[in-house]
Amino acid sequence: MKAAQEDQYLEFVGARAKALYRSAYVLAAGDSHLAEDLVQETLSRVYVHWKKVSRADSPAAYAQTVLVRTFLTLKRRGSTGERPTGNLPDSAARGTDTALRLTLLDALGQLPPRDRAVLLLRYWEGHSIEETARMLKLSSSAVRSQGTRALARARALLGDSLSDLVPQH
């Protein structure tokens, strides 16, 4: 890769890596290690095709699409080769909404991967139905119906527990 292209790529990574990580974290239902792996895989794939990606209308949307497809492929394969451990972190997550965040991530983790991807793209990232359909290679009507079903599943999983965690003003 030429120096100018490499500089463009590094600038892109600096601008988009955090947003990609946030999306990956939601897709991975709070598994920070999986989220990091997804971002690393996404950025390496973008790097390989950077000449083409840099000429795209939206390199950020291209990278987001690669991230979601990488996640779905990983879930279809069923195994990452990682082994669970009994070691727990030394401290709890920081933030005032820790219980709410953990509850939401737990519910998302129970949804099928494609449902999680639709919810992430539509409601977390704010993509339109058409953009989401293009990213997931689905029809717009499939995104609408899958989004509706995914929201219903998430609500059923959350039940009344979510209202207990949201501060009342």
Side-chain angles (χ1 to χ4, degrees), residues 8 26 28 43 48 55 89 92 97 102 108 110 142 158 164 167 169:
Q8 280 182 329
V26 171
L43 291 175
V48 169
R55 292 190 310 255
D97 64 347
L102 291 174
L108 285 172
Q110 294 178 51
L158 291 167
D164 296 338
H169 296 285

Side-chain angles (χ1 to χ4, degrees), residues 41-148:
E41 181 66 24
T42 297
L43 291 175
S44 67
R45 289 180 184 188
V46 168
Y47 179 82
V48 169
H49 300 288
W50 182 247
K51 189 173 181 179
K52 176 180 128 184
V53 173
S54 65
R55 292 190 310 255
D57 289 339
S58 176
Y62 184 97
Q64 186 74 25
T65 301
V66 171
L67 174 71
V68 171
R69 289 182 183 165
T70 300
F71 167 74
L72 292 173
T73 299
L74 176 74
K75 289 302 175 180
R76 260 193 305 276
R77 273 192 260 149
S79 173
T80 63
E82 295 179 1
R83 304 212 190 285
T85 180
N87 299 333
L88 298 175
D90 291 334
S91 63
R94 289 176 174 71
T96 58
D97 64 347
T98 303
L100 176 61
R101 179 181 304 206
L102 291 174
T103 301
L104 289 172
L105 288 172
D106 180 56
L108 285 172
Q110 294 178 51
L111 295 176
R114 189 166 300 266
D115 284 357
R116 223 178 302 166
V118 168
L119 291 179
L120 167 83
L121 292 172
R122 284 286 295 130
Y123 302 105
W124 182 269
E125 293 291 326
H127 291 286
S128 69
I129 291 171
E130 292 74 22
E131 290 170 328
T132 302
R134 183 181 40 77
M135 291 172 139
L136 295 176
K137 294 185 178 178
L138 297 171
S139 68
S140 295
S141 61
V143 168
R144 277 188 209 93
S145 62
Q146 189 153 12
T148 301

